[in-house]
Amino acid sequence: MEGLVPGDFYPFHVVGRRVLAGESIYNLADVSPFKYTPAFALAMITIAKLSKTLAWWIWCVGSVSLFCYSTLRLVGISSFEKLTPRRQFVIAGLAAVSAWHGIIEHLSYGQADMLLFGLFALSALALTHSSNPQDEPKNNTQSLKAGFWLSLCWISKPPSLVLGSYFLIQRQYRALGWAIVFTLLFLFLPIFYWGPSTYLSLFADWFAVLRDRQPIEFLTGNLNQGFAASMARWTDRPESFGTIFKLSILAALAITGVIWRKYRSLPRSTTFAFSYLLYMCVTPLSWRWITCAWLPVAFMVFSELPIKSRITAGAFLVYAVLTLFLQSLVAKQFGVTEPDWLSGWGLYTVGTLLLFAFAIWALHRNQKTQARRESEQLPLRQ
């Protein structure tokens, strides 16, 4: 049964055993070294004493369950239920055909992106049960819960700091404050397990792994569908990855700042989609399987837009067909020997950028609709 355990899951299981054994958790000699924070490594002791197979099944079932639960909850606070049955069918079909390959690869590689998505969803859902931020009063307990779940995202993957844009745009500043408090707490608590000197040395080892085991060839490989990686491939300048990544972060801050300043009372579902797509674009390691999140994101974005069904369905049907060639068994039937050549072209990067543009359009459209309704009601109030 151990042969069924995905290779990328092994570092999670091994690091938990190393923590219990008092061994170094960051080893440059490992084929696939552990690259998460020391605090995340400490959490892996929960599965360390289990067999690899049992640990994987718990990880897999937990990931899928949380992903499905959060997807259903997020769809519930969107406008999906208000749509006609025909449009609901089209949107559900688009979401499924666009995300199927990402979901399959996520499970086959044994990754953690479904868990990250679920944690972010829990943080957003902790504040509301509806799409309208005005429907429920702001509550400090809700903010505390939201900050707790968001801090788990930040501790797991530091690039997920971008997800804080959701709470900034929604003006949920207390939730952001609690997220910072919990993050600092989770970073501090492992000192009691390892001791100050050992803990500081672990951070040094972690930085060494990130520096020495992530060569430019690794960062700009075809599997990486982040904006910086694809731009480096498109321009045939791998050395530009770092510069493009920094510029993309500045662009993300600028876009978030403009939306925060100009737009108010935006739907939570669309804002959630915007923030997660922003993360998918700018994170330095946006592997191909991160597109599993296209499933819920497509529901949230297209439920808010008056796009003609034929145009939308046609565009994403092309994506569905193209992704078939990323499966070796299918590609071989057509004589394709390099099934990941579409990834080299940035197929999923373009798809994510399109969804991101649609999310911004949905936010803008909602703001215009809201402004028009307010202007129509103004004479009545006078």
Side-chain angles (χ1 to χ4, degrees):
M1 290 291 287
E2 280 199 10
L4 299 177
V5 179
D8 285 3
F9 175 73
Y10 277 94
F12 299 133
H13 189 254
V14 169
V15 77
R17 294 192 170 186
R18 286 180 177 176
V19 170
L20 292 177
E23 301 173 358
S24 175
I25 60 179
Y26 300 105
N27 192 339
L28 290 172
D30 286 344
V31 176
S32 181
F34 184 73
K35 298 176 182 177
Y36 291 76
T37 63
F40 187 90
L42 189 60
M44 291 300 99
I45 64 176
T46 56
I47 61 173
K49 292 185 178 181
L50 303 176
S51 68
K52 287 185 178 69
T53 303
L54 179 58
W56 158 243
W57 280 109
I58 292 175
W59 180 276
C60 181
V61 172
S63 298
V64 173
S65 299
L66 180 58
F67 183 74
C68 292
Y69 169 78
S70 58
T71 296
L72 290 173
R73 288 285 309 278
L74 288 168
V75 172
I77 67 169
S78 71
S79 301
F80 182 75
E81 294 181 354
K82 301 176 184 178
L83 303 176
T84 63
R86 179 174 177 271
R87 186 161 175 78
Q88 287 181 340
F89 177 79
V90 171
I91 291 176
L94 292 176
V97 299
S98 61
W100 74 272
H101 187 256
I103 293 172
I104 289 175
E105 282 204 329
H106 181 280
L107 297 175
S108 64
Y109 276 86
Q111 285 294 325
D113 292 290
M114 281 187 176
L115 283 175
L116 182 74
F117 179 88
L119 291 174
F120 179 45
L122 290 177
S123 69
L125 291 167
L127 294 170
T128 185
H129 294 288
S130 69
S131 60
N132 191 337
Q134 297 178 339
D135 285 350
E136 290 190 17
K138 296 177 181 178
N139 182 288
N140 196 50
T141 302
Q142 292 176 317
S143 298
L144 186 146
K145 291 179 181 178
F148 172 78
W149 295 119
L150 182 61
S151 69
L152 293 183
C153 295
W154 291 355
I155 285 292
S156 302
K157 289 192 174 184
S160 65
L161 285 167
V162 176
L163 299 177
S165 60
Y166 170 83
F167 297 93
L168 183 64
I169 293 171
Q170 288 289 321
R171 288 169 168 75
Q172 297 287 350
Y173 305 125
R174 282 185 293 185
L176 278 176
W178 279 116
I180 294 172
V181 169
F182 278 117
T183 300
L184 294 175
L185 180 65
F186 291 143
L187 287 174
F188 177 76
L189 286 178
I191 291 178
F192 295 99
Y193 185 86
W194 279 300
S197 60
T198 301
Y199 191 44
L200 289 176
S201 68
L202 285 175
F203 270 97
D205 294 342
W206 177 41
F207 294 142
V209 167
L210 295 179
R211 182 187 65 244
D212 300 334
R213 287 304 304 270
Q214 297 192 126
I216 198 66
E217 297 80 12
F218 173 78
L219 294 171
T220 59
N222 288 354
L223 282 179
N224 193 352
Q225 295 293 293
F227 178 74
S230 289
M231 276 296 293
R233 290 195 300 270
W234 292 336
T235 58
D236 198 23
R237 295 183 60 188
E239 69 280 1
S240 65
F241 175 86
T243 301
I244 298 172
F245 169 65
K246 293 173 185 175
L247 291 175
S248 65
I249 291 294
L250 292 177
L253 292 173
I255 294 171
T256 301
V258 169
I259 292 176
W260 170 78
R261 185 173 181 178
K262 296 188 67 174
Y263 298 164
R264 292 179 180 273
S265 300
L266 294 171
R268 287 201 162 111
S269 60
T270 319
T271 309
F272 180 96
F274 164 85
S275 295
Y276 202 79
L277 287 165
L278 185 66
Y279 163 71
M280 290 175 66
C281 288
V282 304
T283 181
L285 297 177
S286 187
W287 301 120
R288 203 162 62 188
W289 44 82
I290 199 175
T291 55
C292 63
W294 279 13
L295 179 67
V297 164
F299 273 104
M300 289 181 280
V301 172
F302 292 126
S303 294
E304 308 295 335
L305 293 176
I307 304 174
K308 290 186 178 180
S309 300
R310 294 178 187 175
I311 298 175
T312 312
F316 276 85
L317 183 60
V318 171
Y319 267 88
V321 172
L322 289 176
T323 55
L324 288 173
F325 290 96
L326 294 172
Q327 292 292 328
S328 298
L329 291 177
V330 177
K332 288 178 181 178
Q333 303 304 316
F334 291 87
V336 179
T337 55
E338 296 289 341
D340 68 338
W341 53 277
L342 287 169
S343 296
W345 291 355
L347 174 69
Y348 285 112
T349 305
V350 175
T352 299
L353 288 173
L354 285 174
L355 280 172
F356 184 60
F358 282 137
I360 294 178
W361 178 17
L363 292 174
H364 179 69
R365 181 174 178 271
N366 176 269
Q367 192 69 14
K368 288 183 65 176
T369 302
Q370 183 176 309
R372 185 174 65 252
R373 288 174 179 172
E374 290 178 354
S375 65
E376 291 173 352
Q377 294 175 0
L378 190 60
L380 295 176
R381 291 174 182 172
Q382 294 175 339

